[in-house]
């Protein structure tokens, strides 16, 4: 058995446990800082929407040697903030793609001339294709995505409330909102372009994030079943923390397996399309969302659920009861000293005088072994004679 399997089995059996829920203030602080940075980035910097959302003009020319920086500097003298990217195709080779705001016919001719002048020898303005892109399609995609998001959240809350409980539903939705805000904030902070493919990636994040959270919640429900009605020395928080430890390896393995093909998509999108295209847009959203979703299912959703449950009177009483039982068990374990530590040698003794040695060793510790009638067992040197008198 490998070391990782052994570690995972020990986590599942509870032999090794990490206090994820006990350190929830630390996780809340980290998430609060990330949410604050994300909110500031969204408000100050905003999202970099693609041409499909804002509309505009797109210029495309085939060139194997053109510099994107040179073309961008040339076009920037005509229009404000142009976007210049490369696109690679096995069939057509390398292309330069310039995206601008909506332009009239004269402005389009100027941009075509500027692009052709720096695209390489032999490239004419007529070789530069121009496409007018309307933002209506992107807005339509956004409206449908928002509608789908509302329906999705409503159905998920209903499912969790019916099959689990409303506190699990609330915790799961809060963790989901946490994932979306941080993912969008990273996009705004880094300046990634938001395209319709990015919106599809965001919707995919919703399903993945909730899947991982529901897996943990299912184990929490299993571990906490009957806590208030049966004899137990565990509180709800402790049982939930055990559930997180038991599903930790599964969550990490699932995330890793999901991230490998996503990273391959991102690599393919970067190398094949030269840093622009549907593959890269989709992979970026998935890569960030899966990582954030895995974090939230372990460090946010379950600790938040435990905090909500510990507010219930029954759970508070159970927590006090469990704390008392654990304190008593710890005290008994501290008072109990194994016989092997009290007396050297085997229990049978050496020379047939083991009981006397046990008595002397126990007397030194204040733990004198008792006989059948709860009387101290004396050694040979302190043994009373049958007559009760000493010779």
């Amino acid at each position: 058995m490998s070391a990782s399997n052994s570690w995972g089995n020990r986590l599942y059996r509870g032999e090794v446990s990490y206090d994820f829920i006990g350190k929830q203030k630390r996780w809340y602080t980290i998430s609060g800082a990330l949410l604050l940075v994300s909110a500031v980035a969204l408000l100050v910097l905003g999202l970099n929407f693609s041409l499909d959302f804002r509309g505009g003009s797109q210029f495309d020319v085939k060139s194997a040697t053109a510099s994107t920086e040179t073309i961008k500097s040339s076009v920037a003298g005509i229009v404000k903030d142009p976007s210049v990217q490369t696109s690679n195709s096995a069939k057509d080779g390398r292309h330069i793609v310039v995206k601008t705001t909506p332009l009239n016919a004269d402005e389009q001719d100027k941009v075509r001339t500027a692009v052709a002048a720096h695209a390489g020898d032999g490239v004419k303005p007529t070789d530069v294709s121009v496409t007018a892109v309307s933002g209506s399609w992107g807005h339509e995609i956004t409206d449908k995505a928002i509608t789908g998001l509302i329906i999705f959240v409503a159905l998920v809350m209903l499912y969790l409330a019916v099959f689990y409980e409303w506190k699990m539903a609330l915790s799961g939705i809060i963790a989901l909102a946490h994932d979306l805000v941080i993912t969008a904030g990273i996009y705004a902070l880094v300046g990634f372009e938001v395209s319709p493919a990015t919106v599809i990636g965001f919707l995919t994040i919703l399903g993945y994030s909730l899947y991982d959270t529901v897996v943990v919640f299912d184990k929490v429900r299993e571990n906490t079943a009957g806590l208030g009605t049966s004899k137990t020395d565990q509180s709800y928080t402790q049982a939930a923390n055990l559930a997180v430890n038991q599903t930790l390896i599964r969550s990490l393995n699932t995330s890793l397996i999901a991230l490998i093909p996503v990273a391959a998509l991102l690599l393919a999108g970067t190398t094949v399309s030269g840093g622009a295209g549907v593959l890269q847009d989709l992979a970026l959203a998935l890569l960030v969302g899966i990582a954030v979703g895995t974090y939230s299912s372990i460090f946010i959703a379950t600790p938040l659920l435990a905090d909500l449950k510990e507010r219930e009177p029954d759970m508070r009483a159970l927590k006090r009861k469990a704390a008392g039982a654990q304190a008593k068990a710890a005290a008994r374990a501290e008072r109990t000293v194994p016989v092997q530590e009290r007396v050297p040698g085997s229990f049978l003794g050496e020379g047939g005088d083991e009981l006397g040695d046990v008595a002397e060793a126990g007397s030194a510790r204040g733990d004198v072994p008792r006989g059948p009638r709860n009387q101290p067992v004396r050694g040979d040197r302190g043994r009373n004679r049958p007559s009760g008198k000493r010779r």
Side-chain angles (χ1 to χ4, degrees):
M1 182 180 295
S2 64
S4 60
N5 288 338
S6 177
W7 181 62
N9 291 334
R10 294 177 65 193
L11 280 173
Y12 191 87
R13 293 192 297 266
E15 299 173 3
V16 177
S17 180
Y18 297 93
D19 193 9
F20 292 106
I21 298 181
K23 296 180 174 61
Q24 73 267 45
K25 292 183 179 179
R26 179 183 301 176
W27 319 133
Y28 293 163
T29 301
I30 294 174
S31 293
L34 292 175
L35 289 172
L36 179 61
V37 172
S38 299
V40 171
L42 288 171
L43 293 175
V44 176
L45 301 176
L47 291 172
N48 179 24
F49 289 102
S50 68
L51 205 65
D52 300 305
F53 287 99
R54 64 178 187 265
S57 300
Q58 178 173 308
F59 302 84
D60 189 309
V61 62
K62 181 179 179 180
S63 176
T65 60
S67 169
T68 57
E69 293 298 327
T70 303
I71 292 180
K72 184 173 183 179
S73 300
S74 177
V75 176
I78 304 171
V79 296
K80 184 180 179 180
D81 295 331
S83 172
V84 182
Q85 298 171 327
T86 60
S87 175
N88 295 318
S89 172
K91 181 179 179 181
D92 299 330
R94 182 173 180 263
H95 281 247
I96 300 295
V97 180
V98 180
K99 298 178 181 180
T100 67
T101 55
L103 304 176
N104 55 38
D106 292 338
E107 291 172 329
Q108 287 181 1
D109 290 338
K110 292 179 182 179
V111 172
R112 292 175 69 179
T113 302
V115 172
H118 298 88
D121 296 336
V123 178
K124 302 176 182 179
T126 54
D127 296 330
V128 181
S129 63
V130 182
T131 306
V133 180
S134 173
S136 59
W137 183 65
H139 289 298
E140 184 180 351
I141 292 292
T142 303
D143 293 339
K144 290 184 178 180
I146 293 175
T147 303
L149 175 62
I150 294 173
I151 296 174
F152 175 82
V153 170
L155 291 177
V156 166
M157 289 193 69
L158 180 63
Y159 171 81
L160 291 177
V162 171
F163 289 94
Y164 292 91
E165 59 175 301
W166 71 267
K167 292 181 179 178
M168 285 188 175
L170 180 60
S171 302
I173 295 303
I174 291 176
L176 180 61
H178 163 277
D179 299 343
L180 290 177
V181 172
I182 292 180
T183 303
I186 292 175
Y187 262 72
L189 192 63
V190 180
F192 293 152
E193 189 176 65
V194 178
S195 68
T198 306
V199 175
I200 296 173
F202 281 175
L203 294 177
T204 307
I205 291 170
L206 303 181
Y208 182 87
S209 176
L210 278 174
Y211 165 77
D212 205 31
T213 300
V214 168
V215 167
V216 181
F217 280 178
D218 192 64
K219 194 62 183 178
V220 171
R221 184 178 64 172
E222 178 182 334
N223 288 358
T224 58
L227 275 182
T229 58
S230 60
K231 294 182 179 180
T232 180
D233 59 350
Q234 274 191 327
S235 65
Y236 189 95
T237 295
Q238 291 168 333
N241 191 73
L242 176 61
V244 176
N245 280 272
Q246 289 174 325
T247 56
L248 179 63
I249 296 299
R250 177 177 178 176
S251 296
L252 295 178
N253 287 341
T254 303
S255 300
L256 182 61
I257 294 301
L259 285 174
I260 290 175
V262 170
L265 277 177
L266 182 59
L267 180 62
T270 303
T271 56
V272 173
S273 62
V278 176
L279 286 179
Q280 187 191 45
D281 296 339
L282 180 62
L284 279 173
L286 292 177
L287 189 69
V288 176
I290 289 176
V292 176
T294 304
Y295 165 82
S296 69
S297 64
I298 297 173
F299 298 99
I300 299 299
T302 310
L304 185 60
L305 170 64
D307 286 342
L308 292 175
K309 291 292 293 184
E310 291 292 0
R311 297 176 183 270
E312 298 178 3
D314 293 344
M315 293 298 106
R316 288 201 297 265
L318 178 63
K319 186 175 183 179
R320 292 192 295 267
K321 176 183 175 182
Q326 291 166 11
K328 291 179 181 178
R332 286 196 301 268
E334 186 177 352
R335 288 196 305 266
T336 303
V337 181
V339 173
Q340 289 85 349
E341 294 183 10
R342 294 189 222 151
V343 184
S346 66
F347 184 76
L348 295 176
E350 297 176 3
D353 197 23
E354 178 62 15
L355 291 179
D357 292 339
V358 170
E360 292 177 5
S363 299
R365 292 186 174 92
D367 184 18
V368 181
R370 302 285 178 172
R373 297 184 180 179
N374 204 28
Q375 297 297 320
V377 179
R378 300 175 181 271
D380 289 342
R381 285 171 287 184
R383 185 175 299 164
N384 292 332
R385 302 301 177 185
S387 62
K389 297 181 181 181
R390 294 182 181 277
R391 294 180 180 179

